[in-house]
Amino acid sequence: MRSYEIYKVKNEYLSFIIGRERLLYDLLREETNHQQPAQEIQYLCDHIEELTIDQAIMDHLGKNFSSVESKEGSYRLTHPMKGSIYISVSPYSVQAYCDGSRMLDLDLFVALSGSHDRYFAVMEGVGEWGWLKPVKHANHLVSERSISF
C-alpha cells in the first residue's frame, strides 16, 4: 500500500519553493509524525477546503470507480481492476492510501490537480515527492543567460 500526504502551497510562496523542493520535502516529511500542523506548514501551505476536494473526487474520480463511499471528510473508492483508494482530509493536507495499481495514484493526482496547480505530494516511507501538476514558470522566475563563444 502506498501512502501520500498532499499539501497545497500558498501562491505567494510558490516562486520561492520552485527549485527548493527538497527543502519542502524535508519539512513536510517531518510533519507527518505530528498531530498538529507546525507553524511552518501553516505559513507555507493553504488551508485545504473540504468542498474543493469533495468536488474533485466526486466529479473526476466518482464516475470511474464502481464503489464510492463518502463520510465526513473521508472517502473510499474501489475499482474492480485497479484497486482501492482511501482519502481523508485534514486542515492542511490530504492523506491518500492507494492499494493496487499505480494508475490509482495517477487518477487521484489528475483529479486534484484539476482544481489547483499548487499541490505538492510526499510519498511516505519512500523518499518520493513532487508537484501533482508541473509548475509553469512565470517570466520573472526564469533568468535569461547569454552565452558568448
Side-chain angles (χ1 to χ4, degrees):
M1 181 179 296
R2 298 168 306 284
S3 60
Y4 298 93
E5 291 279 335
I6 303 169
Y7 300 85
K8 187 170 118 181
V9 175
K10 288 184 178 175
N11 195 40
E12 60 264 29
Y13 302 119
L14 191 61
S15 63
F16 175 77
I17 292 176
I18 295 173
R20 296 177 179 92
E21 285 87 354
R22 176 59 191 226
L23 295 174
L24 180 60
Y25 163 72
D26 290 338
L27 176 69
L28 296 176
R29 183 184 59 182
E30 291 175 17
E31 176 61 23
T32 59
N33 299 326
H34 299 94
Q35 295 291 7
Q36 295 291 340
Q39 288 181 335
E40 295 88 354
I41 301 301
Q42 295 177 21
Y43 184 77
L44 290 172
C45 300
D46 273 333
H47 191 270
I48 300 290
E49 299 168 5
E50 194 172 323
L51 182 60
T52 304
I53 301 301
D54 185 67
Q55 287 177 335
I57 291 170
M58 295 312 215
D59 292 348
H60 298 286
L61 291 177
K63 59 186 173 191
N64 296 326
F65 285 78
S66 60
S67 170
V68 177
E69 300 171 28
S70 172
K71 183 179 178 183
E72 298 177 15
S74 63
Y75 307 86
R76 182 172 179 81
L77 298 97
T78 305
H79 188 277
M81 300 285 286
K82 296 178 185 178
S84 60
I85 304 174
Y86 174 76
I87 302 166
S88 63
V89 180
S90 65
Y92 287 92
S93 68
V94 175
Q95 299 83 34
Y97 305 94
C98 301
D99 188 19
S101 166
R102 280 259 199 187
M103 290 302 293
L104 292 168
D105 309 24
L106 181 60
D107 291 342
L108 174 64
F109 296 163
V110 168
L112 291 178
S113 65
S115 63
H116 288 287
D117 60 353
R118 297 179 278 130
Y119 284 113
F120 188 84
V122 174
M123 187 175 184
E124 295 178 13
V126 181
E128 292 182 18
W129 70 89
W131 300 102
L132 297 190
K133 186 175 190 176
V135 177
K136 295 182 182 178
H137 293 279
N139 289 337
H140 70 278
L141 295 176
V142 179
S143 63
E144 295 181 18
R145 297 182 187 186
S146 60
I147 301 173
S148 59
F149 291 94

